[in-house]
Amino acid sequence: MSIEDNKQIVQQFYEAANRGDMDTCFGLFSDDIRWTNIGSTSLSGTFVGKEELFAKLLDPLFGRLEHGISTVVHRLIAEGEYVVAQTSGQAMTTDGRPYNNTYCWIIRIADGKFAEVTEYMDTELAASTFG
């Protein structure tokens, strides 16, 4: 796949997420995806495979948010099979607190799907919001 194809896959992911189309989002993940959240928060760690990713990160996170995270993509930069996404997100927790964070994802695309993600964010905000 070309660099532009890889950027389009990442853009497609964020567009689907913002309209609440989780089937499309998660369909863009390889079955053996490797997702690493940098830091030492309750959301940090490396999750391997869709099952572990959902069980240990996505379900617990989105279970604490009212309506998911609305994301603005500020930059997509690509080289080879990697796309770097600089974004910001807005959300509301189920207990009524805002969760507005900034992110940098380094995404490796393989066979048209997210194969690896390394996520950087404001870990202080994540820890103070989610424990």
Side-chain angles (χ1 to χ4, degrees):
M1 300 193 79
S2 74
I3 290 171
E4 286 305 313
D5 291 337
N6 290 343
K7 286 172 69 174
Q8 185 56 43
I9 289 165
V10 173
Q11 185 67 43
Q12 180 183 359
F13 170 84
Y14 286 113
E15 289 172 358
N18 281 339
R19 66 176 183 269
D21 181 358
M22 296 299 105
D23 289 339
T24 295
C25 286
F26 302 137
L28 292 170
F29 292 172
S30 67
D31 290 337
D32 60 349
I33 188 169
R34 181 178 183 87
W35 189 296
T36 301
N37 273 1
I38 300 301
S40 56
T41 72
S42 63
L43 303 174
S44 298
T46 297
F47 311 95
V48 180
K50 280 186 179 180
E51 186 174 315
E52 183 176 45
L53 178 62
F54 281 88
K56 293 186 177 178
L57 177 63
L58 298 180
D59 289 342
L61 171 63
F62 286 99
R64 295 170 154 177
L65 299 176
E66 282 187 6
H67 304 291
I69 299 174
S70 177
T71 302
V72 174
V73 176
H74 300 285
R75 260 177 216 87
L76 293 177
I77 303 166
E79 181 177 319
E81 60 188 2
Y82 288 92
V83 178
V84 176
Q86 181 185 7
T87 67
S88 57
Q90 292 188 318
M92 188 66 67
T93 65
T94 54
D95 62 0
R97 292 182 293 152
Y99 178 66
N100 304 325
N101 210 332
T102 56
Y103 306 90
C104 182
W105 288 10
I106 301 169
I107 305 154
R108 185 173 67 82
I109 304 291
D111 299 321
K113 296 192 178 214
F114 285 42
E116 293 178 33
V117 175
T118 302
E119 179 177 358
Y120 298 86
M121 69 179 110
D122 180 344
T123 55
E124 178 71 24
L125 176 61
S128 67
T129 304
F130 301 113

